[in-house]
Amino acid sequence: MTILDASAAPGQTGPPSSHGPRRDPAPLLPDPEPVRVLGTDAAGEVDPGLLRELYRRLVLGRRFNQQATTLARQGSLAVYPASTGQEACQIAAAMVLRETDWLFPSYRDTLAVTARGVPPMDVLALMRGHTHCGYDSRLTRTAPLSTPLATQACHAVGLAHAARLRAAADPAADREVVALALVGDGGTSEGDFHEALTFAGVLRAPVVFLVQNNGYAISVPLSRQTAAPTLAHKAVGYGVTGRLVDGNDAPAVHAVLSEAVEHARAGHGPVLVEAITYRLDAHTSADDATRYRSQGEVDAWRAHDPVTRLEQHLRETGQLDDTGVATVTRAAEEFAARMRAQVAQAAQAPAPDPRTLFAHVYAEPTSQLREQAAELAARLDADLDADLDADLDGDLDGDLDAAEPAAGPRTRSDLS
């Protein structure tokens, strides 16, 4: 097979038939079957300490999802998109990164951000509708939760490429920075995803894309989103390495992501990892999942729950007993109690000024933003005037009531 020199000057010469493949696609092809560890001989080779830490974090993560969903139902959060069933992907994503690496989450990846050390209420601030982002992205090396689908993938590529350029020009800059972008299967249907993969492949940017394929883009099943053999196969068309992993197998996800991150860090180019998983809860706390999937389907996937699968393995190998489970469960309940206390404390804080909505969109506000800000200010002023008029009317009514006789109903003649 003829491989053209990618460093050659732009442009092709000769007839179109001579334009052979630029790269051998074989090394880019994803695994023929999802990588698995649990239930295989490879499970015995995993560090027991890592397995126990994965289990501890999975249990805390499951409790985080449960508590956040409850808070949304109680009205403490405007909405919550749970990652219940996807905890292995979220936890592994946080664990494989260095402090100098960056995480680019989607709106469903609150658990991954929390697992990276960001306080839960800072992570959930967006879900309360009070701020664009409740944490310092530069300090935490974690981008804001992205509600628009797949836009964070482009940002991850840009940052990874910029970090590499800065490291080359400034000896004091962080070196070998890797960006990890979390994307859902629905996000792979977006143009931003295509653009991100294109630039990542061309620039050979040190970035990893983790696609959490949970089977649905809200209510649209995967079969209506793509005809590709797997989502990991999409990597090949961009010159990116593809990997396929069982997303409900925590040590497998950790191993594949670790390899992908180090592959990118070593300068070997970007990696697209597809994790086959399933969200056991609805799309969000405002969604009715029974309208598009059966309970039988959910129950079948619940049998592959990442938390119970890892717990079963640890019990069978003598690495976990009832006492250990109780200890982790108690820690999870204490964690949930702290979340509730923080929510109660946050509820006492004054409501944010709506005008701050425009504060951190662009360094220099666009004409559209200035127009919208002016419109909001006018509405707030009108509301304030209306409230003042209502207060004055109330005071006047109170004065009239005080001046009227205490006995007998008020009649028309009383006011004449």
Side-chain angles (χ1 to χ4, degrees), residues 182-204:
L182 304 179
V183 184
D185 51 286
T188 65
S189 299
E190 296 290 324
D192 292 275
F193 182 78
H194 160 79
E195 294 161 7
L197 267 292
T198 295
F199 278 99
V202 171
L203 299 173
R204 295 183 64 79

Side-chain angles (χ1 to χ4, degrees), residues 362-387:
Y362 290 102
E364 294 293 333
T366 64
S367 59
Q368 292 90 342
L369 280 182
R370 290 195 296 269
E371 180 181 346
Q372 293 168 13
E375 181 180 351
L376 175 61
R379 290 187 180 185
L380 292 175
D381 291 341
D383 291 343
L384 179 60
D385 291 341
D387 290 342

Side-chain angles (χ1 to χ4, degrees), residues 187-376:
T188 65
S189 299
E190 296 290 324
D192 292 275
F193 182 78
H194 160 79
E195 294 161 7
L197 267 292
T198 295
F199 278 99
V202 171
L203 299 173
R204 295 183 64 79
V207 60
V208 174
F209 305 93
L210 172 58
V211 177
Q212 298 173 77
N213 178 5
N214 64 22
Y216 291 90
I218 306 182
S219 61
V220 180
L222 183 66
S223 60
R224 298 290 299 276
Q225 298 178 60
T226 180
T230 69
L231 295 176
H233 276 82
K234 290 179 177 286
V236 181
Y238 301 98
V240 172
T241 301
R243 296 298 308 274
L244 188 63
V245 64
D246 182 344
N248 287 9
D249 184 332
V253 180
H254 186 275
V256 171
L257 281 182
S258 295
E259 294 172 3
V261 167
E262 294 313 309
H263 178 97
R265 195 186 309 282
H268 299 317
V271 182
L272 168 61
V273 178
E274 178 188 358
I276 308 297
T277 184
Y278 192 82
R279 59 170 170 82
L280 294 172
D281 286 347
H283 176 68
T284 71
S285 54
D287 176 41
D288 179 7
T290 63
R291 295 172 63 90
Y292 54 85
R293 66 184 191 183
S294 68
Q295 187 59 45
E297 176 182 306
V298 177
D299 291 340
W301 273 97
R302 198 177 297 279
H304 297 276
D305 185 313
V307 181
T308 56
R309 284 179 68 185
L310 184 53
E311 178 178 326
Q312 180 180 359
H313 170 78
L314 291 173
R315 284 182 178 273
E316 291 175 349
T317 54
Q319 300 179 64
L320 185 69
D321 55 18
D322 290 344
T323 300
V325 172
T327 299
V328 174
T329 301
R330 183 166 56 252
E333 289 304 321
E334 293 171 354
F335 177 64
R338 291 193 296 272
M339 286 180 63
R340 293 192 296 271
Q342 291 170 7
V343 168
Q345 182 179 7
Q348 304 303 317
D353 184 346
R355 294 175 178 84
T356 61
L357 179 67
F358 305 96
H360 303 291
V361 182
Y362 290 102
E364 294 293 333
T366 64
S367 59
Q368 292 90 342
L369 280 182
R370 290 195 296 269
E371 180 181 346
Q372 293 168 13
E375 181 180 351
L376 175 61

Side-chain angles (χ1 to χ4, degrees), residues 163-173 175:
R164 184 172 56 186
L165 294 178
R166 176 175 291 182
D170 182 3
R175 316 195 75 77

